Short mmCIF file of all heavy atoms in Angstrom, two decimals:
data_model
loop_
_atom_site.label_atom_id
_atom_site.label_comp_id
_atom_site.label_asym_id
_atom_site.label_seq_id
_atom_site.Cartn_x
_atom_site.Cartn_y
_atom_site.Cartn_z
N GLY A 1 -8.47 -161.82 -186.10
CA GLY A 1 -8.02 -162.66 -185.01
C GLY A 1 -7.10 -161.89 -184.07
O GLY A 1 -7.33 -160.72 -183.80
N ARG A 2 -6.04 -162.52 -183.62
CA ARG A 2 -5.13 -161.92 -182.65
C ARG A 2 -4.12 -161.00 -183.32
O ARG A 2 -2.92 -161.24 -183.30
CB ARG A 2 -4.42 -163.01 -181.86
CG ARG A 2 -5.34 -163.87 -181.02
CD ARG A 2 -4.58 -164.81 -180.13
NE ARG A 2 -3.73 -164.08 -179.18
CZ ARG A 2 -2.93 -164.67 -178.30
NH1 ARG A 2 -2.88 -166.00 -178.24
NH2 ARG A 2 -2.20 -163.96 -177.49
N THR A 3 -4.62 -159.93 -183.88
CA THR A 3 -3.76 -159.01 -184.63
C THR A 3 -2.92 -158.14 -183.70
O THR A 3 -1.95 -157.53 -184.16
CB THR A 3 -4.59 -158.14 -185.56
OG1 THR A 3 -5.56 -157.43 -184.78
CG2 THR A 3 -5.32 -158.97 -186.61
N ASN A 4 -3.26 -158.06 -182.43
CA ASN A 4 -2.50 -157.19 -181.53
C ASN A 4 -1.10 -157.71 -181.26
O ASN A 4 -0.25 -156.99 -180.73
CB ASN A 4 -3.26 -156.99 -180.22
CG ASN A 4 -3.52 -158.30 -179.50
OD1 ASN A 4 -3.36 -159.38 -180.08
ND2 ASN A 4 -3.91 -158.23 -178.25
N SER A 5 -0.83 -158.95 -181.61
CA SER A 5 0.51 -159.51 -181.41
C SER A 5 1.37 -159.40 -182.67
O SER A 5 2.48 -159.93 -182.72
CB SER A 5 0.42 -160.97 -180.99
OG SER A 5 -0.22 -161.74 -182.00
N ASN A 6 0.86 -158.68 -183.66
CA ASN A 6 1.60 -158.60 -184.93
C ASN A 6 2.93 -157.89 -184.77
O ASN A 6 3.01 -156.83 -184.15
CB ASN A 6 0.74 -157.90 -185.98
CG ASN A 6 1.44 -157.86 -187.31
OD1 ASN A 6 1.89 -156.81 -187.78
ND2 ASN A 6 1.58 -159.00 -187.94
N ASN A 7 3.96 -158.47 -185.37
CA ASN A 7 5.31 -157.92 -185.33
C ASN A 7 5.76 -157.39 -186.67
O ASN A 7 6.75 -156.69 -186.76
CB ASN A 7 6.27 -159.01 -184.84
CG ASN A 7 7.58 -158.45 -184.36
OD1 ASN A 7 7.65 -157.37 -183.77
ND2 ASN A 7 8.65 -159.16 -184.62
N GLY A 8 5.05 -157.77 -187.72
CA GLY A 8 5.42 -157.36 -189.06
C GLY A 8 4.66 -158.20 -190.06
O GLY A 8 4.14 -159.28 -189.72
N MET A 9 4.57 -157.71 -191.27
CA MET A 9 3.84 -158.40 -192.33
C MET A 9 4.72 -158.51 -193.56
O MET A 9 5.54 -157.62 -193.82
CB MET A 9 2.57 -157.63 -192.69
CG MET A 9 1.59 -157.47 -191.55
SD MET A 9 0.78 -159.00 -191.10
CE MET A 9 -0.20 -159.31 -192.57
N GLY A 10 4.51 -159.56 -194.33
CA GLY A 10 5.31 -159.73 -195.54
C GLY A 10 4.48 -160.24 -196.70
O GLY A 10 3.39 -160.79 -196.51
N TRP A 11 5.01 -160.03 -197.89
CA TRP A 11 4.47 -160.62 -199.11
C TRP A 11 5.55 -161.52 -199.71
O TRP A 11 6.71 -161.12 -199.82
CB TRP A 11 4.09 -159.55 -200.12
CG TRP A 11 2.85 -158.78 -199.80
CD1 TRP A 11 2.77 -157.56 -199.18
CD2 TRP A 11 1.51 -159.17 -200.09
NE1 TRP A 11 1.46 -157.18 -199.06
CE2 TRP A 11 0.66 -158.15 -199.62
CE3 TRP A 11 0.93 -160.28 -200.70
CZ2 TRP A 11 -0.73 -158.21 -199.74
CZ3 TRP A 11 -0.45 -160.34 -200.83
CH2 TRP A 11 -1.27 -159.31 -200.35
N PHE A 12 5.14 -162.69 -200.08
CA PHE A 12 5.99 -163.64 -200.78
C PHE A 12 5.28 -164.06 -202.07
O PHE A 12 4.08 -163.85 -202.21
CB PHE A 12 6.26 -164.87 -199.92
CG PHE A 12 7.17 -164.60 -198.75
CD1 PHE A 12 6.71 -163.92 -197.64
CD2 PHE A 12 8.49 -165.03 -198.76
CE1 PHE A 12 7.54 -163.66 -196.55
CE2 PHE A 12 9.34 -164.78 -197.69
CZ PHE A 12 8.86 -164.09 -196.58
N ARG A 13 6.02 -164.67 -202.98
CA ARG A 13 5.40 -165.16 -204.21
C ARG A 13 6.05 -166.47 -204.62
O ARG A 13 7.21 -166.74 -204.28
CB ARG A 13 5.49 -164.13 -205.33
CG ARG A 13 6.90 -163.87 -205.82
CD ARG A 13 6.89 -162.72 -206.84
NE ARG A 13 8.22 -162.45 -207.37
CZ ARG A 13 8.52 -161.42 -208.16
NH1 ARG A 13 7.55 -160.54 -208.51
NH2 ARG A 13 9.75 -161.24 -208.60
N GLN A 14 5.27 -167.24 -205.35
CA GLN A 14 5.77 -168.51 -205.85
C GLN A 14 5.28 -168.72 -207.27
O GLN A 14 4.07 -168.79 -207.51
CB GLN A 14 5.33 -169.67 -204.96
CG GLN A 14 5.97 -171.00 -205.32
CD GLN A 14 5.78 -172.05 -204.25
OE1 GLN A 14 4.91 -171.93 -203.39
NE2 GLN A 14 6.61 -173.08 -204.29
N ALA A 15 6.23 -168.83 -208.17
CA ALA A 15 5.93 -169.10 -209.57
C ALA A 15 5.97 -170.61 -209.80
O ALA A 15 6.63 -171.34 -209.04
CB ALA A 15 6.93 -168.39 -210.46
N PRO A 16 5.31 -171.10 -210.84
CA PRO A 16 5.31 -172.54 -211.11
C PRO A 16 6.73 -173.09 -211.24
O PRO A 16 7.56 -172.52 -211.96
CB PRO A 16 4.55 -172.64 -212.44
CG PRO A 16 3.68 -171.44 -212.46
CD PRO A 16 4.46 -170.35 -211.79
N GLY A 17 7.01 -174.15 -210.51
CA GLY A 17 8.31 -174.80 -210.60
C GLY A 17 9.43 -174.09 -209.86
O GLY A 17 10.59 -174.50 -209.96
N LYS A 18 9.08 -173.04 -209.11
CA LYS A 18 10.11 -172.28 -208.40
C LYS A 18 9.84 -172.27 -206.90
O LYS A 18 8.72 -172.54 -206.46
CB LYS A 18 10.17 -170.85 -208.92
CG LYS A 18 10.64 -170.74 -210.37
CD LYS A 18 10.85 -169.30 -210.76
CE LYS A 18 11.40 -169.18 -212.17
NZ LYS A 18 11.64 -167.76 -212.55
N GLU A 19 10.86 -171.92 -206.14
CA GLU A 19 10.72 -171.80 -204.69
C GLU A 19 9.95 -170.52 -204.36
O GLU A 19 9.96 -169.55 -205.13
CB GLU A 19 12.10 -171.75 -204.03
CG GLU A 19 12.94 -173.00 -204.21
CD GLU A 19 12.41 -174.13 -203.35
OE1 GLU A 19 11.99 -173.88 -202.22
OE2 GLU A 19 12.40 -175.27 -203.85
N ARG A 20 9.31 -170.53 -203.20
CA ARG A 20 8.66 -169.32 -202.72
C ARG A 20 9.75 -168.28 -202.40
O ARG A 20 10.77 -168.62 -201.79
CB ARG A 20 7.84 -169.61 -201.47
CG ARG A 20 6.99 -168.46 -200.99
CD ARG A 20 6.08 -168.88 -199.87
NE ARG A 20 5.12 -169.89 -200.30
CZ ARG A 20 4.10 -170.30 -199.55
NH1 ARG A 20 3.91 -169.78 -198.34
NH2 ARG A 20 3.29 -171.23 -199.99
N GLU A 21 9.52 -167.04 -202.82
CA GLU A 21 10.53 -166.02 -202.62
C GLU A 21 9.95 -164.78 -201.96
O GLU A 21 8.77 -164.45 -202.13
CB GLU A 21 11.19 -165.63 -203.96
CG GLU A 21 10.26 -164.98 -204.95
CD GLU A 21 11.00 -164.50 -206.21
OE1 GLU A 21 12.23 -164.68 -206.31
OE2 GLU A 21 10.33 -163.91 -207.08
N PHE A 22 10.80 -164.10 -201.24
CA PHE A 22 10.43 -162.86 -200.56
C PHE A 22 10.18 -161.76 -201.59
O PHE A 22 10.92 -161.63 -202.56
CB PHE A 22 11.56 -162.46 -199.61
CG PHE A 22 11.42 -161.09 -199.04
CD1 PHE A 22 10.55 -160.84 -197.99
CD2 PHE A 22 12.15 -160.03 -199.55
CE1 PHE A 22 10.42 -159.57 -197.46
CE2 PHE A 22 12.03 -158.76 -199.03
CZ PHE A 22 11.17 -158.53 -197.98
N VAL A 23 9.16 -160.95 -201.33
CA VAL A 23 8.86 -159.81 -202.20
C VAL A 23 9.02 -158.50 -201.44
O VAL A 23 9.77 -157.62 -201.85
CB VAL A 23 7.43 -159.92 -202.77
CG1 VAL A 23 7.08 -158.67 -203.58
CG2 VAL A 23 7.27 -161.17 -203.61
N ALA A 24 8.30 -158.36 -200.32
CA ALA A 24 8.33 -157.11 -199.56
C ALA A 24 7.84 -157.39 -198.15
O ALA A 24 7.14 -158.37 -197.91
CB ALA A 24 7.46 -156.05 -200.22
N ALA A 25 8.20 -156.49 -197.23
CA ALA A 25 7.74 -156.62 -195.85
C ALA A 25 7.65 -155.25 -195.21
O ALA A 25 8.27 -154.28 -195.68
CB ALA A 25 8.66 -157.53 -195.05
N ILE A 26 6.89 -155.19 -194.12
CA ILE A 26 6.70 -153.92 -193.42
C ILE A 26 6.61 -154.20 -191.94
O ILE A 26 6.02 -155.20 -191.51
CB ILE A 26 5.44 -153.21 -193.96
CG1 ILE A 26 5.32 -151.79 -193.40
CG2 ILE A 26 4.17 -154.03 -193.67
CD1 ILE A 26 4.29 -150.94 -194.15
N SER A 27 7.20 -153.31 -191.14
CA SER A 27 7.20 -153.48 -189.71
C SER A 27 5.83 -153.19 -189.12
O SER A 27 4.93 -152.69 -189.80
CB SER A 27 8.24 -152.55 -189.07
OG SER A 27 7.90 -151.20 -189.34
N ARG A 28 5.67 -153.48 -187.85
CA ARG A 28 4.39 -153.29 -187.16
C ARG A 28 3.88 -151.85 -187.30
O ARG A 28 2.70 -151.63 -187.55
CB ARG A 28 4.54 -153.66 -185.69
CG ARG A 28 3.31 -153.41 -184.82
CD ARG A 28 3.63 -153.68 -183.37
NE ARG A 28 2.53 -153.33 -182.48
CZ ARG A 28 1.72 -154.21 -181.94
NH1 ARG A 28 1.86 -155.50 -182.17
NH2 ARG A 28 0.74 -153.81 -181.13
N SER A 29 4.77 -150.90 -187.11
CA SER A 29 4.36 -149.49 -187.16
C SER A 29 4.24 -148.97 -188.59
O SER A 29 3.64 -147.92 -188.82
CB SER A 29 5.38 -148.63 -186.42
OG SER A 29 6.61 -148.64 -187.11
N GLY A 30 4.85 -149.68 -189.52
CA GLY A 30 4.90 -149.19 -190.89
C GLY A 30 6.10 -148.32 -191.16
O GLY A 30 6.31 -147.86 -192.28
N GLY A 31 6.92 -148.10 -190.14
CA GLY A 31 8.05 -147.21 -190.29
C GLY A 31 9.23 -147.80 -191.04
O GLY A 31 10.09 -147.05 -191.52
N SER A 32 9.26 -149.12 -191.14
CA SER A 32 10.35 -149.78 -191.87
C SER A 32 9.76 -150.67 -192.95
O SER A 32 8.82 -151.42 -192.69
CB SER A 32 11.20 -150.63 -190.93
OG SER A 32 11.84 -149.83 -189.96
N THR A 33 10.31 -150.57 -194.14
CA THR A 33 9.89 -151.41 -195.25
C THR A 33 11.11 -152.09 -195.87
O THR A 33 12.23 -151.57 -195.78
CB THR A 33 9.14 -150.61 -196.33
OG1 THR A 33 9.98 -149.54 -196.78
CG2 THR A 33 7.85 -150.04 -195.78
N TYR A 34 10.86 -153.23 -196.48
CA TYR A 34 11.93 -154.05 -197.04
C TYR A 34 11.46 -154.58 -198.39
O TYR A 34 10.30 -154.95 -198.53
CB TYR A 34 12.23 -155.23 -196.11
CG TYR A 34 12.38 -154.84 -194.65
CD1 TYR A 34 11.27 -154.69 -193.84
CD2 TYR A 34 13.64 -154.60 -194.11
CE1 TYR A 34 11.40 -154.32 -192.51
CE2 TYR A 34 13.78 -154.26 -192.77
CZ TYR A 34 12.66 -154.11 -191.98
OH TYR A 34 12.79 -153.76 -190.66
N TYR A 35 12.38 -154.66 -199.35
CA TYR A 35 12.01 -155.10 -200.70
C TYR A 35 13.07 -156.02 -201.27
O TYR A 35 14.27 -155.85 -201.01
CB TYR A 35 11.85 -153.90 -201.63
CG TYR A 35 10.74 -152.97 -201.26
CD1 TYR A 35 10.98 -151.83 -200.50
CD2 TYR A 35 9.43 -153.23 -201.67
CE1 TYR A 35 9.94 -150.99 -200.15
CE2 TYR A 35 8.39 -152.38 -201.33
CZ TYR A 35 8.65 -151.26 -200.56
OH TYR A 35 7.62 -150.42 -200.21
N ALA A 36 12.62 -156.95 -202.07
CA ALA A 36 13.54 -157.73 -202.89
C ALA A 36 14.09 -156.82 -203.99
O ALA A 36 13.39 -155.92 -204.47
CB ALA A 36 12.81 -158.92 -203.51
N ASP A 37 15.32 -157.07 -204.39
CA ASP A 37 15.93 -156.24 -205.42
C ASP A 37 15.12 -156.25 -206.72
O ASP A 37 15.05 -155.25 -207.43
CB ASP A 37 17.35 -156.72 -205.72
CG ASP A 37 18.33 -156.38 -204.59
OD1 ASP A 37 18.00 -155.52 -203.75
OD2 ASP A 37 19.41 -157.00 -204.56
N SER A 38 14.47 -157.37 -207.00
CA SER A 38 13.75 -157.52 -208.26
C SER A 38 12.50 -156.64 -208.34
O SER A 38 11.98 -156.41 -209.43
CB SER A 38 13.35 -158.98 -208.45
OG SER A 38 12.53 -159.42 -207.38
N VAL A 39 12.02 -156.14 -207.20
CA VAL A 39 10.80 -155.33 -207.21
C VAL A 39 11.03 -153.91 -206.71
O VAL A 39 10.12 -153.08 -206.77
CB VAL A 39 9.67 -155.99 -206.39
CG1 VAL A 39 9.44 -157.43 -206.83
CG2 VAL A 39 9.96 -155.92 -204.89
N LYS A 40 12.23 -153.64 -206.25
CA LYS A 40 12.53 -152.32 -205.68
C LYS A 40 12.30 -151.24 -206.75
O LYS A 40 12.74 -151.37 -207.89
CB LYS A 40 13.98 -152.30 -205.19
CG LYS A 40 14.27 -151.31 -204.10
CD LYS A 40 15.65 -151.55 -203.52
CE LYS A 40 15.72 -152.82 -202.71
NZ LYS A 40 17.03 -153.02 -202.07
#
């Protein structure tokens, strides 16, 4: 689809009975990455 407007991508996860939580993300260029402490 309209991927040219992408600003960044992320992964989240949700376990049974828990809130959705951040896992990792990456900027449009791929030059910046971000991680939850639990997966770093």
Side-chain angles (χ1 to χ4, degrees):
R2 297 188 61 182
T3 58
N4 59 347
S5 61
N6 183 251
N7 198 35
M9 300 289 293
W11 286 97
F12 289 75
R13 67 186 182 187
Q14 188 167 18
K18 294 187 176 181
E19 297 287 321
R20 187 172 297 189
E21 64 175 0
F22 169 78
V23 175
I26 188 166
S27 62
R28 176 186 174 103
S29 67
S32 297
T33 57
Y34 312 83
Y35 296 96
D37 287 343
S38 59
V39 308
K40 205 170 290 184

